[in-house]
Tab-separated table of all heavy atoms in Angstrom:
chain	number	residue	atom	x	y	z
A	160	PRO	N	97.769	9.442	103.728
A	160	PRO	CA	98.594	8.709	104.689
A	160	PRO	C	98.449	7.213	104.498
A	160	PRO	O	97.397	6.711	104.105
A	160	PRO	CB	98.029	9.158	106.048
A	160	PRO	CG	96.631	9.582	105.755
A	160	PRO	CD	96.675	10.175	104.374
A	161	ARG	N	99.533	6.485	104.767
A	161	ARG	CA	99.506	5.024	104.691
A	161	ARG	C	98.675	4.492	105.837
A	161	ARG	O	98.801	4.945	106.973
A	161	ARG	CB	100.922	4.472	104.768
A	161	ARG	CG	101.000	2.951	104.816
A	161	ARG	CD	102.433	2.484	104.871
A	161	ARG	NE	103.112	2.747	103.614
A	161	ARG	CZ	104.410	2.538	103.423
A	161	ARG	NH1	105.148	2.067	104.411
A	161	ARG	NH2	104.956	2.805	102.265
A	162	PRO	N	97.799	3.490	105.578
A	162	PRO	CA	96.998	2.928	106.666
A	162	PRO	C	97.882	2.351	107.760
A	162	PRO	O	98.923	1.761	107.498
A	162	PRO	CB	96.195	1.812	105.972
A	162	PRO	CG	96.207	2.172	104.528
A	162	PRO	CD	97.500	2.886	104.289
A	163	ALA	N	97.462	2.557	109.002
A	163	ALA	CA	98.234	2.036	110.124
A	163	ALA	C	98.191	0.515	110.125
A	163	ALA	O	97.183	-0.101	109.790
A	163	ALA	CB	97.670	2.578	111.440
A	164	ALA	N	99.321	-0.097	110.466
A	164	ALA	CA	99.388	-1.557	110.521
A	164	ALA	C	98.619	-2.049	111.741
A	164	ALA	O	98.724	-1.495	112.827
A	164	ALA	CB	100.837	-2.007	110.610
A	165	PRO	N	97.799	-3.100	111.580
A	165	PRO	CA	97.070	-3.631	112.722
A	165	PRO	C	97.981	-4.438	113.635
A	165	PRO	O	99.108	-4.762	113.292
A	165	PRO	CB	96.026	-4.546	112.061
A	165	PRO	CG	96.688	-4.993	110.797
A	165	PRO	CD	97.537	-3.824	110.349
A	166	ASP	N	97.461	-4.748	114.811
A	166	ASP	CA	98.163	-5.637	115.720
A	166	ASP	C	98.453	-6.959	115.013
A	166	ASP	O	97.667	-7.437	114.194
A	166	ASP	CB	97.286	-5.868	116.957
A	166	ASP	CG	97.948	-6.776	117.964
A	166	ASP	OD1	97.776	-7.994	117.831
A	166	ASP	OD2	98.627	-6.268	118.866
A	167	ALA	N	99.594	-7.578	115.341
A	167	ALA	CA	100.015	-8.795	114.646
A	167	ALA	C	99.043	-9.948	114.832
A	167	ALA	O	99.045	-10.891	114.036
A	167	ALA	CB	101.407	-9.203	115.127
A	168	LEU	N	98.185	-9.895	115.864
A	168	LEU	CA	97.221	-10.960	116.114
A	168	LEU	C	95.793	-10.514	115.818
A	168	LEU	O	94.835	-11.175	116.224
A	168	LEU	CB	97.332	-11.458	117.558
A	168	LEU	CG	98.700	-12.015	117.970
A	168	LEU	CD1	98.665	-12.504	119.412
A	168	LEU	CD2	99.136	-13.141	117.043
A	169	ALA	N	95.646	-9.426	115.090
A	169	ALA	CA	94.330	-8.928	114.696
A	169	ALA	C	94.040	-9.320	113.255
A	169	ALA	O	94.966	-9.554	112.470
A	169	ALA	CB	94.282	-7.410	114.858
A	170	PRO	N	92.781	-9.403	112.856
A	170	PRO	CA	92.455	-9.693	111.457
A	170	PRO	C	93.099	-8.657	110.539
A	170	PRO	O	93.062	-7.455	110.816
A	170	PRO	CB	90.927	-9.604	111.421
A	170	PRO	CG	90.491	-9.816	112.832
A	170	PRO	CD	91.572	-9.229	113.689
A	171	ALA	N	93.696	-9.119	109.459
A	171	ALA	CA	94.438	-8.214	108.576
A	171	ALA	C	94.380	-8.694	107.139
A	171	ALA	O	94.185	-9.877	106.856
A	171	ALA	CB	95.895	-8.093	109.034
A	172	VAL	N	94.560	-7.742	106.237
A	172	VAL	CA	94.796	-8.013	104.821
A	172	VAL	C	96.218	-7.575	104.526
A	172	VAL	O	96.651	-6.502	104.977
A	172	VAL	CB	93.815	-7.243	103.920
A	172	VAL	CG1	94.100	-7.531	102.451
A	172	VAL	CG2	92.389	-7.612	104.254
A	173	CYS	N	96.956	-8.392	103.798
A	173	CYS	CA	98.347	-8.091	103.475
A	173	CYS	C	98.521	-8.007	101.961
A	173	CYS	O	98.083	-8.909	101.235
A	173	CYS	CB	99.290	-9.146	104.031
A	173	CYS	SG	99.224	-9.331	105.829
A	174	PHE	N	99.139	-6.930	101.500
A	174	PHE	CA	99.427	-6.738	100.085
A	174	PHE	C	100.938	-6.774	99.895
A	174	PHE	O	101.681	-6.092	100.603
A	174	PHE	CB	98.881	-5.393	99.598
A	174	PHE	CG	97.385	-5.287	99.670
A	174	PHE	CD1	96.770	-4.672	100.757
A	174	PHE	CD2	96.593	-5.814	98.669
A	174	PHE	CE1	95.390	-4.569	100.827
A	174	PHE	CE2	95.210	-5.726	98.734
A	174	PHE	CZ	94.602	-5.105	99.812
A	175	GLY	N	101.378	-7.582	98.924
A	175	GLY	CA	102.809	-7.705	98.717
A	175	GLY	C	103.139	-8.459	97.454
A	175	GLY	O	102.530	-8.253	96.409
A	176	ALA	N	104.092	-9.391	97.579
A	176	ALA	CA	104.573	-10.108	96.395
A	176	ALA	C	105.064	-11.484	96.805
A	176	ALA	O	105.427	-11.727	97.960
A	176	ALA	CB	105.702	-9.335	95.722
A	177	VAL	N	105.080	-12.383	95.814
A	177	VAL	CA	105.666	-13.697	95.987
A	177	VAL	C	106.792	-13.850	94.974
A	177	VAL	O	106.651	-13.455	93.816
A	177	VAL	CB	104.616	-14.821	95.823
A	177	VAL	CG1	103.949	-14.765	94.463
A	177	VAL	CG2	105.240	-16.193	96.065
A	178	MET	N	107.931	-14.398	95.419
A	178	MET	CA	109.102	-14.562	94.559
A	178	MET	C	109.552	-16.011	94.576
A	178	MET	O	109.600	-16.641	95.630
A	178	MET	CB	110.244	-13.655	95.044
A	178	MET	CG	111.496	-13.684	94.144
A	178	MET	SD	112.607	-15.127	94.403
A	178	MET	CE	113.158	-14.874	96.087
A	179	HIS	N	109.837	-16.543	93.397
A	179	HIS	CA	110.436	-17.871	93.260
A	179	HIS	C	111.711	-17.737	92.433
A	179	HIS	O	111.725	-17.022	91.426
A	179	HIS	CB	109.493	-18.836	92.531
A	179	HIS	CG	108.368	-19.350	93.375
A	179	HIS	ND1	108.208	-20.683	93.672
A	179	HIS	CD2	107.343	-18.709	93.975
A	179	HIS	CE1	107.135	-20.833	94.423
A	179	HIS	NE2	106.582	-19.657	94.617
A	180	GLU	N	112.750	-18.440	92.840
A	180	GLU	CA	113.984	-18.454	92.057
A	180	GLU	C	114.553	-19.861	92.026
A	180	GLU	O	114.960	-20.395	93.052
A	180	GLU	CB	115.021	-17.489	92.617
A	180	GLU	CG	116.269	-17.401	91.744
A	180	GLU	CD	117.251	-16.357	92.217
A	180	GLU	OE1	117.147	-15.920	93.391
A	180	GLU	OE2	118.124	-15.963	91.417
Side-chain angles (χ1 to χ4, degrees):
R161 175 179 291 174
D166 180 272
L168 301 181
V172 179
C173 300
F174 296 97
V177 58
M178 184 280 296
H179 283 242
E180 185 175 17

